[in-house]
Amino acid sequence: MHAIKSLVIVGGGTAGWMAAAFFAKRFTGCAMTITLVESTEIGTIGVGEATVPSMKMFLADLGIDEREFIQNTQATCKLGIDFNGWWQQDTAFFHPFAMFGAKIAHIPFHHYWAYLRAQGQAGPIDDYSLPAQMARANKFALPKDEALDIARFNYAYHFDAGSFANYLSRFAQTLGVKHIEARVTHVLKNADTGNISTLILNNGKEIEGDFFIDCSGFRALLIEENLHTGYQDWSHWLPCDRALALPCAHQGYIPPYTRALACTAGWQWRIPLQHRHGNGYVYSSHYISDDQALAELTQHMHAKPTADPRVIRFTTGMRNKCWNKNVFALGLSSGFLEPLESTSIYMVQTALATLFTYFPTTADNIALSTKVNKILAEHNEKLRDFIILHYHLNQRIGMDFWDACRAAPLPDSLSNRIEEFRATGNIRFNDLDFFQISSWLAMFSGFQLLPQYQHPKILHTNKTLIIQELQQMRNAIQRVVRELPEHHQFIAKNASLT
Ligand code: FAD
């Protein structure tokens, strides 16, 4: 079997162009050709506009300047997600990309906070989060490296998916990626190995390849239609199966956060960009019709739609194997959890890094593919658990969809985490957990789940001192927030607003 010298990517959506840019950069100077084929006739999904902070690393890794990125993709900054109505209607909490508070005498902040909160002597946990308070005040500035614990935070972006793909396309082609606009109509396999060998295009041309990256979206052209890899359906845990996307005009201001509003049979997103707001309703078709979902979505929008509504169907879950034979599935072809925590693009990034770490010399390498599939499955399962938690802990009692979400059995991995937190106040994680203590804590506290345990050291500490310490943190955060510019001022400085 010969060494891999040609990489063929099918699909030119976010996943396809991220892969092209990433591998073009990684294989610069190597005898590796990279070809991307996409059908503009089929088009891309066109949603997927909110990210997590790892996107900054992706850009930095490619050497892309933040300002240039903001200018080319209509991007805005994201400090976290504002969850509205999730615990009960008319309640809200914020999931920031930062720790809450700061350690007090070697004990994590949340132990002290939970102890005082249970006695009504501490404010909501958002009071002790700089990004949550910045978000509430519509403020934004870049974090400072030397900042005190209390003032450290991270951030991500919202961006226009089409502009991002175009930008990466130019970037990748400058590095030598060959771009072909055509539709793949047939796929040929090697009769002995079952590996994919050739793509036949609608213009009659053929593309041969040693290794293929399937970025064909939900269609999963190579990994499923041709290799029949199979799919793990997780809809018994994550029951939403449709999304209605409907962008609207600018609403006059640019919030530095995504809003996730709980609705009758799912939730609604609002993603602010420089030139418009992305809106959408993610719902379960078992509990609401498309027409009812559209009526509910528009009722919560305060500006005119700028396009026709689009219904997107999906089944939550993941492919049995991301890597099967000489095909690696990336993006929607590898599976979809749902967009609640903006994790898909992060998974594209993680999958690319993992594949490169274990990149095979020849097409078939069962030992490597088994390893990679295991790592990616574990990543996905951890993200899945975190998202299920949002539905499970709701107290929207008397609403059919939410009652069913609360009652649905949980994966053991998630029940164990909830029980451990309830019993000990601790949250354990490893390298494969993207969401770490602060994120789980944002959820537990937002859903009013407090631990039943206090660390003995807390009981030995003078309570008045702890109250003062928390008060000082809150005041320090407010002082910092007052000094910061508005988010729209930050964006205007870094991009020309249209
Ligand atoms: P697509 O964008 O569907 O691209 C598929 C490509 O394959 C297209 O270029 C198409 O032309 C090509 N193609 C297909 N068949 C052929 C063929 N036969 N021949 C040639 N080319 C072909 N992710 C986030 O991180 N954050 C979010 O906020 C977020 N929100 C989302 C909301 C919704 C409702 C959905 C459904 C997804 C969301 N995602 C989000 C996920 C995100 O959109 C995707 O992970 C990302 O866009 C990658 O999509 P993709 O490139 O895999 O697929």
Side-chain angles (χ1 to χ4, degrees):
M1 194 169 290
H2 70 276
I4 294 177
K5 292 212 176 104
S6 58
L7 202 56
V8 178
I9 299 165
V10 178
T14 305
W17 283 114
M18 280 177 76
F22 177 87
F23 283 117
K25 186 84 180 179
R26 285 289 193 280
F27 286 120
T28 300
C30 303
M32 175 79 82
T33 63
I34 303 176
T35 307
L36 184 145
V37 55
E38 69 167 318
S39 159
T40 41
E41 206 182 286
I42 295 175
T44 64
I45 193 98
V47 283
E49 304 184 317
T51 60
V52 293
S54 58
M55 177 52 80
K56 293 212 310 291
M57 281 154 59
F58 184 78
L59 300 177
D61 186 57
L62 295 180
I64 293 174
D65 172 63
E66 177 172 69
R67 200 181 154 96
E68 192 184 316
F69 166 76
I70 291 177
Q71 283 166 352
N72 279 277
T73 63
Q74 300 284 353
T76 65
C77 297
K78 173 179 170 186
L79 292 162
I81 304 177
D82 186 32
F83 285 92
N84 269 250
W86 282 76
W87 178 52
Q88 293 174 344
Q89 272 170 304
D90 302 322
T91 60
F93 64 90
F94 197 79
H95 173 193
F97 300 126
M99 296 296 288
F100 291 95
K103 266 191 180 171
I104 306 175
H106 305 292
I107 302 286
F109 165 81
H110 69 271
H111 287 275
Y112 288 98
W113 173 79
Y115 168 64
L116 291 184
R117 183 73 178 158
Q119 300 174 20
Q121 291 182 301
I125 203 161
D126 290 359
D127 287 3
Y128 311 95
S129 161
L130 177 63
Q133 295 306 312
M134 285 163 69
R136 300 253 183 266
N138 272 321
K139 302 276 188 103
F140 187 82
L142 295 177
K144 292 189 177 134
D145 286 345
E146 79 284 3
L148 299 170
D149 282 1
I150 196 84
R152 284 205 190 111
F153 66 94
N154 212 337
Y155 67 98
Y157 308 104
H158 307 110
F159 60 71
D160 180 87
S163 308
F164 184 54
N166 289 339
Y167 177 72
L168 284 184
S169 158
R170 292 192 295 275
F171 177 92
Q173 288 183 69
T174 313
L175 292 180
V177 171
K178 190 173 169 200
H179 180 206
I180 298 174
E181 270 191 40
R183 185 160 46 84
V184 178
T185 53
H186 295 90
V187 173
L188 304 184
K189 288 192 224 163
N190 178 306
D192 298 330
T193 61
N195 281 340
I196 288 181
S197 60
T198 312
L199 306 179
I200 315 284
L201 307 182
N202 63 339
N203 58 15
K205 296 209 167 119
E206 297 188 359
I207 308 176
E208 290 185 353
D210 299 321
F211 198 81
F212 292 81
I213 306 203
D214 185 349
C215 301
S216 63
F218 284 129
R219 186 170 169 196
L221 181 71
L222 308 182
I223 196 84
E224 197 57 55
E225 276 189 26
N226 281 279
L227 294 184
H228 313 294
T229 305
Y231 193 74
Q232 289 179 40
D233 181 337
W234 287 344
S235 50
H236 51 295
W237 287 317
L238 294 171
C240 290
D241 59 357
R242 280 189 202 177
L244 241 164
L246 187 60
C248 74
H250 221 277
Q251 296 179 353
Y253 69 110
I254 314 176
Y257 57 88
T258 305
R259 186 187 65 175
L261 173 71
C263 295
T264 305
W267 63 280
Q268 185 177 325
W269 79 75
R270 183 191 63 192
I271 295 179
L273 304 180
Q274 291 174 38
H275 61 316
R276 64 168 165 82
H277 281 187
N279 303 284
Y281 189 172
V282 178
Y283 54 97
S284 162
S285 59
H286 186 69
Y287 293 92
I288 197 171
S289 70
D290 294 345
D291 287 345
Q292 288 167 324
L294 180 60
E296 196 175 347
L297 174 65
T298 44
Q299 189 196 330
H300 294 133
M301 285 168 44
H302 302 293
K304 265 174 70 174
T306 49
D308 291 332
R310 207 154 50 93
V311 178
I312 300 161
R313 292 177 163 75
F314 57 85
T315 305
T316 54
M318 68 171 286
R319 201 67 54 201
N320 283 342
K321 296 176 191 169
C322 287
W323 181 354
N324 188 7
K325 297 199 175 283
N326 64 338
V327 172
F328 187 79
L330 188 73
L332 296 172
S333 68
S334 69
F336 185 52
L337 290 177
E338 74 137 277
L340 185 53
E341 283 284 352
S342 326
T343 45
S344 292
I345 295 170
Y346 159 75
M347 267 316 289
V348 169
Q349 198 182 335
T350 303
L352 285 171
T354 310
L355 176 60
F356 186 72
T357 304
Y358 295 95
F359 204 83
T361 4
T362 54
D364 256 341
N365 191 319
I366 295 290
L368 290 180
S369 62
T370 305
K371 177 90 189 154
V372 167
N373 287 330
K374 189 166 179 299
I375 294 172
L376 295 179
E378 209 176 317
H379 266 293
N380 262 311
E381 284 159 12
K382 284 171 179 287
L383 297 176
R384 175 202 69 194
D385 283 4
F386 186 61
I387 296 174
I388 298 171
L389 184 75
H390 298 55
Y391 289 101
H392 172 71
L393 291 180
N394 88 81
Q395 286 295 316
R396 293 169 63 91
I397 292 165
M399 304 179 81
D400 292 349
F401 169 81
W402 295 95
D403 289 344
C405 289
R406 219 172 34 253
L410 298 178
D412 290 346
S413 44
L414 177 56
S415 318
N416 294 342
R417 278 216 169 178
I418 296 174
E419 274 327 299
E420 179 164 1
F421 181 74
R422 211 192 292 271
T424 73
N426 289 310
I427 302 160
R428 278 179 303 141
F429 56 88
N430 67 23
D431 289 351
L432 300 180
D433 279 286
F434 172 72
F435 292 109
Q436 304 204 344
I437 291 186
S438 56
S439 296
W440 286 83
L441 194 55
M443 289 305 130
F444 286 138
S445 57
F447 285 102
Q448 310 294 314
L449 193 153
L450 295 182
Q452 291 155 351
Y453 160 94
Q454 274 88 42
H455 194 283
K457 185 158 179 194
I458 294 172
L459 305 175
H460 292 296
T461 311
N462 180 326
K463 195 161 126 189
T464 315
L465 287 181
I466 313 176
I467 292 174
Q468 278 172 1
E469 188 104 22
L470 261 64
Q471 188 58 43
Q472 279 164 11
M473 284 183 199
R474 192 153 50 173
N475 294 344
I477 287 171
Q478 290 306 335
R479 269 198 306 279
V480 175
V481 172
R482 271 197 296 277
E483 300 299 316
L484 297 176
E486 301 272 334
H487 179 225
H488 74 86
Q489 292 172 314
F490 175 86
I491 295 296
K493 229 170 139 186
N494 285 279
S496 44
L497 287 174
T498 50

